[in-house]
């Protein structure tokens, strides 16, 4: 850039730089001061009071970051906005706010920007005579124009500079000179790959061979009009580009058109983005339809699964009814066989020889074994049909334990297995069904003796657990042990671990299943700790007392009533358990230790009111999940109000599979019944 020598100007504050970044502001100030001999003053902040600025400033330059709001300006001199990556819309907003010009330093160098600012200062300085640039002085971005604003007004230079900085193509076509181009800014150079030297002063027909392109430029607008066209491109990255074209006429004093001013904006990327957006939207709509179809299929699958579950449940009930009825039918003749065999052995009908006596003992043993099997099947059927009613009473723990030990001592002695009873509690009695407690202990002890190694011990240890308010019965053996992955299998009816064990050890696979069911009916829990070849420990934990039936169940508040009470909703705790005794026991614990409002509810009630209530915690029995599914859980967990709810899963069996399933469903913890004080304290804290 070449500049002619300038006379030394009087030192006065001519330019203000406001809020410029340090590096940019320093460079621009040096260029204005050292190269052009103008005074320049910098201000760090944009919100300076007007009286701080010196009155003889001629040009004010303000840095406007991209996201900075554009405030109106009432500065008397020239006010130039600076920034980087200024869009056409941003520039238009700046000019509309009252700024003289906008300079994008991404497209304009600091040297060119300084020259424009100095030019503005000389135009606005009344002490400097208006002059035109000399022949050897280059003013950036100033190009010849047919527009004449008067010999004394050189504002066209600044208009041309502003037009040059736009990222929208601007051209002017004179009609009186065969359509010669007189304005062609840098964006037009980029779009059509023709520089100003090739274009300015030449008719449009010599610039473009395509008549369609010529018509786009020469078409006379009726006032102001807009259209869209596709232009061929010489660029290597694309064969054409799409542009929006806006044109208007310039008229002389007689109202005759003398020129066409056109604006061309490249909208190729925008059109492609819109097309991609439309395609994505269509794809989204298609995916939405597919998703809806998938949801319909899933709902159909769920409905089918529910129907199958109902059929399976009906089949299971039918099986239970059948087993119950057939067991009754079998017990009558079997009892007769046992009675008559016993009478024969007693010699009621005469003396027997040794061979007859031996055979009758075999019949007696087989009949008793069959009678025990039928009783087990009958018990299991009653439990599954909900017809098993327990008779709770205060029972001597020691008496039940000793009688259970006595019943297995003879079988244990055949394997040289010692039976040990350890009572580590001062509690004399427990509120249980004595017959069923004895059956629980006997089934577990028989199992322990069966799988115990010869010359080892089987121990029944009884301890009190204050945290659970329960009594724990530990049955410990030193037998073959069980893999953790097989824990769930051993509690399934008619199931043994594998064929080799079923051949080596007798049994129907009902003992542990029935024991676990009776433990559940007591509101207790059953835990297993075992390792292969090291033995097993089965722990039965039963609550010390059962809930009192004081007639409050009829008066107990429902979830529907609580939903309308804002105070109760704030301290709500839900108990979801089909075992009424277990649910009432948890309810009593909560009332005893906290001021929370416990409500016993079923999944269908929670689904009906989950958008009106959000409990502090919800305790869910795992059997509910098996019988009612998990949809109601997922629906509640999606609600924002339930995000702080603590989910607790409980069950009568403490199995690894239960903990895994609970975590998968989003529960915070999983526990075995009876629920402990420490866990209640943790979830209610």
């Amino acid at each position: 850039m070449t500049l002619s020598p300038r006379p030394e100007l009087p030192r006065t504050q001519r330019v203000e730089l406001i809020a410029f970044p340090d590096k940019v502001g320093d460079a621009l100030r040096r260029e204005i001061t050292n190269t052009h001999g103008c005074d320049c003053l910098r201000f760090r902040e944009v919100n300076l009071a007007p009286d701080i600025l010196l009155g003889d400033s001629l040009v004010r330059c303000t840095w406007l970051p991209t996201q900075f709001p554009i405030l109106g300006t009432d500065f008397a001199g020239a006010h130039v906005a600076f920034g980087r990556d200024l869009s056409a819309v941003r520039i238009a907003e700046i000019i509309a706010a009252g700024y003289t010009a906008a300079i994008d330093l991404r497209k304009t160098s600091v040297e060119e920007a300084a020259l424009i600012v100095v030019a503005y200062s000389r135009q606005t300085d009344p002490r400097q005579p208006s002059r035109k640039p000399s022949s050897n002085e280059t003013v950036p971005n100033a190009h010849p124009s047919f527009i004449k604003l008067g010999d004394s007004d050189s504002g066209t230079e600044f208009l041309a500079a502003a037009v040059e900085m736009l990222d929208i193509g601007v051209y002017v076509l004179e009609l009186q000179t065969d359509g010669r181009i007189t304005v062609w800014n840098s964006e037009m150079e980029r779009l059509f790959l023709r520089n100003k030297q090739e274009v300015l002063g030449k008719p449009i027909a010599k610039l473009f061979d395509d008549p369609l392109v010529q018509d786009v430029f020469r078409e006379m607008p009726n006032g102001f009009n807009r259209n869209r066209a596709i232009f061929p491109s010489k660029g290597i990255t694309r064969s054409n580009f799409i542009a929006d074209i806006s044109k208007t006429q310039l008229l002389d004093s007689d109202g005759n058109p003398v020129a066409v001013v056109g604006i061309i904006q490249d909208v190729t990327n925008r059109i492609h983005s819109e097309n991609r957006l439309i395609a994505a939207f269509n794809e989204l709509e298609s995916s939405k339809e597919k998703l809806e179809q998938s949801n319909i299929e899933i709902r159909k699958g769920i409905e089918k699964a529910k129907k199958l579950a109902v059929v399976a449940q009906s089949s299971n009930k039918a099986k239970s009814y059948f087993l119950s009825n057939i067991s009754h039918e079998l017990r009558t003749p079997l009892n007769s066989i046992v009675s008559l065999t016993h009478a024969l052995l007693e010699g009621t009908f005469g003396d027997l020889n040794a061979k007859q006596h031996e055979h009758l003992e075999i019949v007696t043993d087989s009949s008793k074994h069959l009678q025990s099997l039928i009783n087990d099947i009958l018990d299991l059927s009653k439990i599954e049909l909900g017809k098993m009613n327990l008779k709770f009473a205060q029972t001597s723990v020691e008496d039940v334990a000793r009688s259970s030990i006595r019943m297995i001592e003879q079988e244990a002695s055949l394997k040289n297995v010692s039976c040990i009873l350890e009572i580590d509690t001062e509690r004399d009695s427990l509120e249980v069904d004595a017959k069923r407690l004895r059956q629980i202990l006997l089934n577990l002890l028989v199992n322990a003796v069966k799988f115990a190694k010869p010359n080892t011990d089987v121990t029944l240890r009884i301890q009190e657990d204050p945290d659970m308010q329960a009594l724990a019965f530990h049955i410990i053996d030193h037998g073959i042990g069980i893999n953790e992955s097989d824990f769930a299998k051993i509690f399934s009816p008619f199931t043994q671990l594998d064929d080799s064990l079923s051949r080596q050890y007798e049994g129907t696979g009902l003992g542990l299943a029935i024991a676990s069911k009776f433990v559940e009916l007591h509101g207790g829990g059953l835990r297993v700790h075992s390792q292969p070849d090291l033995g097993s420990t089965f722990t039965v934990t039963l609550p010390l007392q059962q809930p009192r039936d004081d007639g409050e169940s009829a008066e107990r508040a429902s979830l529907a009533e609580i939903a309308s009470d804002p105070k109760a909703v704030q301290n709500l705790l839900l108990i979801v358990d089909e075992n009424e005794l277990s649910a009432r026991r948890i309810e009593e614990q909560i009332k005893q230790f906290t001021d929370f409002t416990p409500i016993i509810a079923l999944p269908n009630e929670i689904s009906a009111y989950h958008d009106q209530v959000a409990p502090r915690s919800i305790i869910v029995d795992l059997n509910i999940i098996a019988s009612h599914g998990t949809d109601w859980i997922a629906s509640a967990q999606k609600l924002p109000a339930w995000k702080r709810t603590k989910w607790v899963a409980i069950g009568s069996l403490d199995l690894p599979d239960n903990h895994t399933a609970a975590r998968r469903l989003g529960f915070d913890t999983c526990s075995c019944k009876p629920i402990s004080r420490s866990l209640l304290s943790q979830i209610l804290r």
Side-chain angles (χ1 to χ4, degrees):
M1 182 181 298
T2 305
L3 296 174
S4 60
R6 297 183 182 276
E8 185 70 23
L9 296 173
R11 285 282 170 176
T12 179
Q13 182 191 342
R14 313 184 67 80
V15 179
E16 298 168 355
L17 303 182
I18 300 176
F20 273 72
D22 288 343
K23 187 177 291 186
V24 175
D26 291 343
L28 187 59
R29 183 182 182 185
R30 282 195 302 270
E31 188 68 22
I32 292 172
T33 303
N34 299 336
T35 304
H36 300 287
C38 291
D39 277 354
C40 184
L41 186 61
R42 286 191 61 190
F43 295 90
R44 300 289 181 184
E45 298 179 9
V46 71
N47 57 341
L48 293 171
D51 56 351
I52 296 179
L53 307 178
L54 298 180
D56 59 343
S57 296
L58 302 176
V59 179
R60 178 179 295 175
C61 302
T62 302
W63 182 267
L64 297 179
T66 305
Q67 302 301 325
F68 196 83
I70 301 173
L71 304 177
T73 176
D74 54 0
F75 183 61
H79 198 168
V80 182
F82 277 77
R84 284 196 177 96
D85 297 320
L86 299 177
S87 64
V89 174
R90 181 77 170 172
I91 291 174
E93 292 174 346
I94 291 171
I95 300 302
Y99 287 83
T100 309
I103 297 178
D104 188 344
L105 287 183
R106 189 74 72 182
K107 298 178 181 179
T108 306
S109 68
V110 172
E111 292 80 8
E112 291 175 330
L115 184 56
I116 293 172
V117 170
V118 171
Y120 273 119
S121 71
R122 293 202 172 96
Q123 290 298 320
T124 55
D125 187 354
R127 294 169 294 181
Q128 295 294 324
S130 175
R131 67 179 186 86
K132 296 181 180 179
S134 60
S135 59
N136 62 342
E137 180 180 358
T138 302
V139 178
N141 305 326
H143 301 286
S145 173
F146 75 98
I147 302 174
K148 302 297 182 183
L149 300 181
D151 293 338
S152 62
D153 189 350
S154 58
T156 53
E157 296 180 6
F158 313 113
L159 177 60
V163 168
E164 187 67 21
M165 289 184 291
L166 293 175
D167 58 0
I168 297 177
V170 179
Y171 72 93
V172 176
L173 185 147
E174 286 190 349
L175 299 176
Q176 298 174 347
T177 56
D178 299 327
R180 296 178 184 274
I181 299 295
T182 56
V183 172
W184 188 267
N185 72 348
S186 59
E187 181 64 11
M188 294 293 286
E189 290 181 323
R190 187 189 70 79
L191 291 175
F192 294 95
L193 299 178
R194 294 176 182 272
N195 59 37
K196 295 177 179 62
Q197 286 73 22
E198 296 179 70
V199 174
L200 294 178
K202 295 180 181 179
I204 197 70
K206 292 186 178 181
L207 298 175
F208 298 99
D209 298 330
D210 191 334
L212 294 177
V213 176
Q214 295 176 16
D215 289 342
V216 169
F217 281 95
R218 285 191 298 202
E219 183 182 8
M220 288 287 292
N222 184 12
F224 178 82
N225 71 346
R226 279 182 188 164
N227 54 27
R228 179 169 289 176
I230 300 178
F231 291 94
S233 175
K234 295 181 180 180
I236 60 175
T237 58
R238 57 184 182 181
S239 59
N240 52 53
F241 67 90
I242 306 169
D244 281 345
I245 307 167
S246 301
K247 290 189 290 186
T248 189
Q249 295 179 356
L250 289 182
L251 307 177
D252 61 14
S253 58
D254 296 328
N256 299 315
V258 294
V260 174
V261 178
I263 296 175
I264 297 179
Q265 184 175 14
D266 184 359
V267 294
T268 308
N269 292 335
R270 191 182 78 193
I271 296 297
H272 289 168
S273 298
E274 290 174 354
N275 291 337
R276 285 194 294 269
L277 186 61
I278 293 171
F281 178 78
N282 292 335
E283 185 177 354
L284 182 62
E285 286 293 313
S286 176
S287 300
K288 182 180 177 182
E289 292 177 1
K290 292 179 181 178
L291 181 61
E292 289 176 351
Q293 186 62 33
S294 299
N295 288 337
I296 292 173
E297 295 297 328
I298 291 172
R299 284 194 290 270
K300 288 181 179 178
I302 291 173
E303 290 300 322
K304 185 177 180 180
K306 287 180 178 178
K307 290 179 181 179
L308 290 175
V310 171
V311 172
Q313 191 173 9
S314 300
S315 300
N316 192 46
K317 285 187 176 181
K319 177 201 72 175
S320 298
Y321 275 118
F322 170 77
L323 290 175
S324 178
N325 292 332
I326 199 68
S327 298
H328 278 292
E329 295 299 324
L330 289 173
R331 287 176 75 181
T332 303
L334 189 58
N335 287 338
S336 299
I337 293 172
V338 172
S339 299
L340 289 173
T341 305
H342 181 71
L344 288 170
L345 287 172
E346 292 291 326
T348 305
F349 304 105
D351 294 334
L352 303 173
N353 59 36
K355 198 69 174 176
Q356 291 172 332
H357 199 280
E358 180 183 353
H359 288 317
L360 284 175
E361 283 184 345
I362 294 173
V363 172
T364 299
D365 291 341
S366 299
S367 299
K368 288 181 177 179
H369 179 73
L370 185 57
Q371 190 178 42
S372 175
L373 174 60
I374 291 173
N375 288 336
D376 286 346
I377 293 174
L378 188 60
D379 286 342
L380 186 63
S381 300
K382 284 184 177 180
I383 292 171
E384 290 182 346
L385 291 172
K387 294 184 176 181
M388 179 62 71
N389 297 318
L390 302 187
K391 298 178 181 179
F392 292 101
Q394 290 294 331
T395 303
S396 171
V397 175
E398 184 176 355
D399 289 347
V400 173
R402 291 195 181 281
S403 65
S404 301
I405 289 289
R406 281 196 300 269
M407 295 175 72
I408 63 157
E409 280 182 329
Q410 184 177 357
E411 183 180 350
S413 64
L414 298 177
K415 296 181 65 175
N416 290 326
V417 173
S418 301
C419 296
I420 302 172
L421 174 61
E422 297 179 359
I423 301 179
D424 187 15
T425 177
E426 296 180 358
R427 183 170 290 274
D428 298 325
S429 62
L430 183 66
E431 189 175 4
V432 292
D433 184 316
K435 178 182 177 182
R436 301 309 176 185
L437 174 59
R438 185 179 291 107
Q439 192 170 351
I440 292 170
L441 297 179
L442 188 59
N443 286 359
L444 293 174
L445 288 168
V446 168
N447 220 51
V449 170
K450 181 195 302 184
F451 295 105
K453 295 176 182 179
N455 304 311
T456 59
D457 300 330
V458 169
T459 303
L460 171 56
R461 181 180 300 140
I462 304 174
Q463 295 175 314
E464 188 171 349
D465 189 332
D467 190 30
M468 289 189 177
Q469 292 182 300
L471 211 60
F473 299 82
H474 306 279
I475 294 88
I476 307 164
D477 69 64
H478 302 282
I480 60 175
I482 310 167
N483 283 312
E484 188 177 274
S485 58
D486 293 326
F487 284 1
K489 297 178 184 178
I490 62 177
F491 294 103
S492 299
F494 305 104
T495 301
Q496 288 193 343
L497 293 185
D498 55 47
D499 293 338
S500 62
L501 288 179
S502 64
R503 287 194 296 268
Q504 184 178 356
Y505 300 97
E506 293 182 354
T508 59
L510 287 174
L512 291 178
I514 292 174
S516 66
K517 296 292 185 182
F518 282 133
V519 169
E520 183 178 359
L521 289 176
H522 278 82
L526 180 54
R527 296 171 173 82
V528 186
H529 296 283
S530 183
Q531 292 183 6
D533 298 324
L534 296 179
S536 307
T537 299
F538 287 78
T539 301
V540 175
T541 309
L542 301 179
L544 299 177
Q545 289 184 333
Q546 297 299 327
R548 304 272 71 81
D549 188 6
D550 52 7
E552 287 187 1
S553 56
E555 302 175 3
R556 188 176 289 113
S558 66
L559 189 58
E561 295 169 342
I562 291 296
S564 60
D565 185 352
K567 185 177 180 181
V569 167
Q570 292 178 358
N571 290 318
L572 180 63
L573 187 146
L574 294 180
I575 304 167
V576 189
D577 193 340
E578 287 181 314
N579 185 335
E580 186 180 356
L581 285 176
S582 175
R584 281 165 49 198
R585 183 175 185 277
I586 297 173
E587 180 186 37
E588 287 184 1
Q589 282 184 289
I590 294 169
K591 288 181 177 179
Q592 182 179 357
F593 300 120
T594 72
D595 58 352
F596 282 80
T597 305
I599 295 296
I600 300 174
L602 292 177
N604 58 340
E605 296 178 81
I606 295 173
S607 296
Y609 295 99
H610 63 195
D611 56 344
Q612 301 178 41
V613 299
R616 294 283 296 276
S617 180
I618 180 169
I619 301 173
V620 182
D621 183 76
L622 291 169
N623 289 331
I624 285 283
I625 297 173
S627 60
H628 288 76
T630 60
D631 290 347
W632 64 278
I633 297 175
S635 298
Q637 289 175 340
K638 289 178 182 178
L639 298 175
W642 284 65
K643 295 299 182 184
R644 298 181 62 184
T645 299
K646 291 185 178 180
W647 289 76
V648 181
I650 56 172
S652 58
L653 291 175
D654 189 12
L655 300 174
D657 291 351
N658 290 349
H659 291 265
T660 302
R663 284 195 299 270
R664 188 170 59 248
L665 291 172
F667 281 76
D668 296 289
T669 187
C670 181
S671 175
C672 186
K673 297 179 182 179
I675 193 167
S676 65
R677 291 184 184 180
S678 57
L679 180 58
L680 277 178
S681 175
Q682 177 185 344
I683 65 176
L684 299 179
R685 185 166 48 239

